[in-house]
Amino acid sequence: MNIRNNLQANGIVNILSKNQNLIGKSMQKLSSGLRINNAADDSAGLAISEKMRAQIRGLEQNSRNIQDGISMLQVVDGGMNEIHSLLQRGRELSVQAANDTLTSDDKGELQKEVTEILDEIDNIANTTHFNGIRLLNKGGIIAPPPAGSGGETTPDSPQTGGTVNPDPALTDEQKIIETLRRSMLEQSEKMVEEAFGIVADGADLKVMFQSTDSNALASVAYYVGSDGKGENLELRIEVDDFLPATWPDGGTAPIYNDRIIAHEMTHAIMARSMNYGSLPKWFKEGTAEFIHGGDERVAGDLYWNGGNEQDIVDAIGNGTDTQWTNDSKHYSSAYVAVRYLHEQIKNAGGNGIKDVMHYLSTNDSATLDEALKMIPSGSYVGGITDFAINYSANGAGFLSSMNLTNADTGAIGGYDADGGAVKNAKDVVTDIDNVQDNPLGNFNIIWPTGTTSSTGTTSSPMINQLISYNRSISIQTGPKGGESISFQLATVTTENLNVDEIDVKDSAEEAISLFDTAINEVSSERSRFGAMQNRLEYALNQTNNYAENLQSSESRIRDVDMAREMMTLTKQNVLNQAAQAMLAQANQKPQAVLQLLS
């Protein structure tokens, strides 16, 4: 026996300490209601739970976003309801004025009320706001940057086959339609098919005009369907920025209108031929730039960026959308990345970017990550991640080797990219005078509503679209980027409704017809907004259900089972009491040695 070291007591103290630690953990779980209070409790569970929490919080915010969107649409409908009522009253007065039992003075009194009605329609259009956003008149639009900018190239003579410009008597919208029908749409579609080997599937493509004070000459709007393809495609033309709408090229050097149309048609065709919703933005924009060349943009961005080539390259980050911004530098980086990928695949014996497009279009659900892994030549085992690393390491050197100052724009198939003929800014889109009502072979084009009238030897759509669109509203409906629903606000002024100069005193019959057309236009727009409100309400229900189910899943991972943990705490308390009793016994044993000394 010894009294210097009480080995039994030391062992019991160890056990007691462990028991007390376990009791502390159980009490922490019971007091917080959480099974995982720190990473040490369950590291894998914590990681999964935090991802779910991010989604849950995003969904809860999405629910508020959707409710705000519904509220906005309700305000829109309220304003348009009053405009409807005013138009109905105006029509009623027009019918009354058409009756010859009234004198000229009587009709003059009716005209006074009609004038006040028209003034109030404009007042409603100008003062209907939601959070400072004007809803029924022009209020601006958030849009991507124009499809190109930068240095100027040396143009050659265009190929012409007829009258260079549309009839000057046409409206601006009619001139734009004329240039689209003559070659811009047809040749853009052919360019995409030849360069990328992809075609659309006969879906509708609606041409729309808008005036939003943005810098985008044109854009393609769509909803992402369950298969990842774009649905309800709209080619939106910014009327003020698209002028002059002269044929064959339109606009001004070097970013001619036909290059913009080629850029947007690339988006439209890709949207209908592959899982477009899954593609990162750098690939979407880079390929659209590559179809007509983006050397001028890159030269301009390099100049403003102090010649820092690596900074341009690094703009696409890890190849996902986490670092994407709709500015010119990111468009330049995307264009250079696609050209670099094109070159790497060709160097490996492939056909360049066309191989990627072929895989994506023949495998409807494929992602770019899968395509980069599976293409026959120049594949990347690690998909987008491997490509982004490779591009970051070698892209600056590739960029420095690009000739950004010659006449060639860098378009696919041209001199710089593929050793073909020089494709300068003016002629990169072929100019062939071939007027058609539906110039697209693989889209069903829908022109703005109206009739046709003869201009020379061709038939041209006559624009009669009363209500134009003034602002695009995007409602974030999902916890991830790109999960949104967009809709266009309408401009509902008397000028747009074509009732601003109505005269019921002298032209009552015409006034009735104009009011009828305006009422139909407003009815159509109210129906569109009503359908969108219903869609948002369904989206709200789905978001709430999604959040509820995700919260339940996260709870099973993170929350403590109170009954089970209480049972564990009781067990540890009993063991702790037993350990304390045994420690007392162990501490008494050395005292027996004192009896030997007495």
Side-chain angles (χ1 to χ4, degrees), residues 72 75-76 122-140 213 470-473 488-493:
M72 174 182 280
V75 174
V76 170
D122 283 334
N123 181 54
I124 292 172
N126 291 324
T127 59
T128 303
H129 289 217
F130 182 88
N131 192 32
I133 300 171
R134 186 178 292 175
L135 301 178
L136 300 177
N137 202 350
K138 291 182 182 180
D213 301 325
N470 68 70
R471 183 183 178 96
S472 178
I473 299 295
Q488 291 282 322
L489 296 177
T491 298
V492 196
T493 62

Side-chain angles (χ1 to χ4, degrees), residues 461-529:
M462 197 70 170
I463 309 305
N464 190 30
Q465 178 180 327
L466 299 185
I467 294 180
S468 61
Y469 298 110
N470 68 70
R471 183 183 178 96
S472 178
I473 299 295
S474 180
I475 306 297
Q476 181 71 19
T477 58
K480 298 180 181 178
E483 297 179 347
S484 61
I485 294 175
S486 298
F487 59 87
Q488 291 282 322
L489 296 177
T491 298
V492 196
T493 62
T494 55
E495 181 181 359
N496 278 86
L497 294 174
N498 200 26
V499 295
D500 54 325
E501 297 181 358
I502 277 182
D503 182 2
V504 300
K505 180 179 179 181
D506 298 321
S507 305
E509 294 288 344
E510 181 185 3
I512 294 172
S513 177
L514 291 174
F515 273 121
D516 280 338
T517 303
I519 289 169
N520 290 336
E521 288 285 330
V522 175
S523 296
S524 176
E525 286 303 300
R526 287 189 69 187
S527 296
R528 181 172 69 87
F529 287 126

